[in-house]
Amino acid sequence: MKRIVFLDYVRVFACFLVMLVHASENFYGAPGMTDMAGPQSFLCNETDRLWVSLYDGFSRMSVPLFMIVSAFLLAPVPETESMGTFYRRRLLRVVPPLAVFMVLYSTLPMLWGQLDAPSSLHDLSHLWANFPSLAGHFWFMYPLLGIYLFLPMISPWLRKATARQERFFILLFLISTCMPFLRRWFGELWGECFWNEYHMLWYFSGYLGYVVLAHYIHKHLVWTQSQRLVRGSILAVAGAAVTIWSFYVQAEPGVLLVTPELEIGWAFCTINCVMLTAGTFIVFTAIPWRESAIVTETSKLSYGMYLMHIFWLGMWVNVFKNIYPLSTPLAIPAIAVCTFLSCYILTKLMSYLPYAKYIVGAASQLPSALSLSKNA
């Protein structure tokens, strides 16, 4: 089975960006926080303000890129595949490794004193409800699983929808991505109030918009290769500029800040993040990538690398912030690169274990998505 080469590059790129995001969070977390930013943020100086804005802001396309890759491969679900078969295949690929690492994040940190026994027991007893306290990055798995659950239901529409109909859906999705900013200026919008969160565009908002966007790019985008490179780059640069600026302009050094307010432009379903993500993905579709064994292998291992990376991140933060301190513009990428390499090595070793696919997973590309459309 021939792989879609550019998707492997996108997946590896997105995996690294996730680690770059979390490396950056160690330079604006409030005092006492480690590894991940909390409800409050604090930047020590102008240098941290600049480089966190640049590194973290640019990397905010990471999660949406994963969503687009999944949708590009899976949507629409073939008519010949039943809902039960689709669910069984996807859930068996994703859930067992997630469950293994949820238990590990609830127990292993006791070995180095990051977690005490009562907290461990609390996390273990609540795994049915949500992710462990030290695995905040697992939040992403819940909307991803939600998309998987919904794909068989939206697939009949995607198979029949015209390009114009999909553009209308995407337009409403894009309007919904402006709502975080509109709320700050105008308050509750389009039916929102303290007893109702389901606004007028609720059903066109969220990560489902990325699913339709991915399908549109796959099936209906008629730009030539040069148009994809130029227009995609313009879109990505404009989105990156707004995403970076939105943090920088609010990140006053030496002041304790409210993280959700500071990160308003970093939410994954904001108009600037959609521009950054869509533009970058379109550029990737236009580049004549060569198949690479190391990229393919890393792509296959990327799920396990994502699951375990917080275990490694804290160690490398300690190395480059405390033991061998580097300046912020060097420390953030150094932490991300070392975390990435450590995760690759360990995931590769674990892939030789019996039943490894149920521990670290294995990314694949499905036969139903092997070829691009004529215009892709």
Side-chain angles (χ1 to χ4, degrees):
M1 182 176 70
K2 187 177 179 181
R3 297 180 71 85
I4 303 176
V5 176
F6 86 87
L7 290 180
D8 285 324
Y9 282 86
V10 175
R11 187 184 276 121
V12 173
F13 180 60
C15 185
F16 175 74
L17 291 184
V18 168
M19 299 180 194
L20 193 61
V21 164
H22 293 151
S24 302
E25 288 190 5
N26 285 272
F27 291 82
Y28 71 94
M33 297 297 297
T34 59
D35 299 346
M36 310 280 277
Q40 293 181 311
S41 298
F42 184 86
L43 291 114
C44 294
N45 50 55
E46 285 291 341
T47 300
D48 287 359
R49 177 190 190 187
L50 173 63
W51 290 102
V52 167
S53 300
L54 289 171
Y55 285 132
D56 206 336
F58 175 78
S59 301
R60 287 288 156 165
M61 70 178 95
S62 53
V63 164
L65 281 176
F66 277 127
M67 287 289 187
I68 285 186
V69 168
S70 293
F72 195 94
L73 287 168
L74 298 174
V77 177
E79 289 184 272
T80 55
E81 185 171 13
S82 70
M83 180 182 293
T85 300
F86 175 80
Y87 286 159
R88 184 168 59 254
R89 290 180 58 173
R90 297 318 302 168
L91 296 182
L92 281 177
R93 186 176 298 278
V94 172
V95 173
L98 176 63
V100 168
F101 274 89
M102 289 177 79
V103 172
L104 291 177
Y105 277 102
S106 301
T107 55
L108 277 186
M110 287 193 295
L111 297 178
W112 51 86
Q114 193 177 9
L115 195 68
D116 58 27
S119 298
S120 174
L121 289 173
H122 177 273
D123 282 353
L124 288 170
S125 66
H126 284 72
L127 291 185
W128 65 272
N130 214 336
F131 51 81
S133 57
L134 295 180
H137 61 303
F138 284 0
W139 72 267
F140 164 69
M141 298 308 303
Y142 294 89
L144 180 64
L145 289 170
I147 290 297
Y148 287 166
L149 291 174
F150 199 68
L151 272 177
M153 301 171 195
I154 196 176
S155 289
W157 179 76
L158 287 174
R159 285 193 291 267
K160 297 178 181 179
T162 64
R164 184 177 183 181
Q165 289 169 336
E166 289 192 30
R167 283 197 298 269
F168 181 64
F169 187 105
I170 293 168
L171 173 63
L172 296 178
F173 165 62
L174 293 177
I175 294 173
S176 78
T177 64
C178 298
M179 291 180 67
F181 304 106
L182 295 174
R183 285 192 192 101
R184 178 167 288 191
W185 296 326
F186 301 109
E188 295 168 329
L189 297 167
W190 304 327
E192 290 179 321
C193 52
F194 75 87
W195 68 84
N196 177 55
E197 60 185 306
Y198 303 103
H199 54 78
M200 179 178 66
L201 296 180
W202 178 272
Y203 304 103
F204 299 91
S205 61
Y207 296 104
L208 183 62
Y210 282 110
V211 173
V212 180
L213 181 61
H215 184 264
Y216 183 85
I217 293 171
H218 192 177
K219 295 296 184 183
H220 299 300
L221 192 65
V222 295
W223 295 348
T224 64
Q225 181 182 27
S226 61
Q227 287 174 329
R228 288 176 180 241
L229 284 170
V230 174
R231 296 175 183 177
S233 297
I234 293 172
L235 197 61
V237 170
V242 175
T243 307
I244 292 166
W245 175 84
S246 69
F247 183 93
Y248 182 84
V249 73
Q250 300 179 91
E252 184 180 352
V255 176
L256 199 61
L257 303 165
V258 178
T259 301
E261 294 179 3
L262 178 63
E263 293 185 349
I264 185 173
W266 282 5
F268 300 114
C269 294
T270 51
I271 183 67
N272 49 285
C273 197
V274 175
M275 292 167 59
L276 172 59
T277 304
T280 301
F281 187 80
I282 290 169
V283 169
F284 268 84
T285 68
I287 297 174
W289 301 100
R290 292 186 178 182
E291 192 163 356
S292 163
I294 186 65
V295 172
T296 301
E297 183 69 14
T298 307
S299 175
K300 291 179 178 180
L301 299 174
S302 60
Y303 182 40
M305 294 169 64
Y306 159 78
L307 291 173
M308 73 171 60
H309 79 273
I310 295 299
F311 280 137
W312 287 103
L313 186 76
M315 184 189 79
W316 290 115
V317 167
N318 187 48
V319 169
F320 293 116
K321 285 191 75 174
N322 301 317
I323 301 174
Y324 303 108
L326 296 177
S327 61
T328 301
L330 296 178
I332 292 176
I335 293 166
V337 168
C338 290
T339 300
F340 187 88
L341 294 175
S342 300
C343 291
Y344 172 82
I345 293 169
L346 183 56
T347 307
K348 179 63 177 175
L349 292 174
M350 293 177 70
S351 71
Y352 294 111
L353 295 172
Y355 305 104
K357 66 179 181 179
Y358 299 118
I359 303 172
V360 291
S364 69
Q365 296 186 356
L366 303 181
S368 60
L370 287 180
S371 60
L372 298 174
S373 66
K374 293 180 181 179
N375 300 309

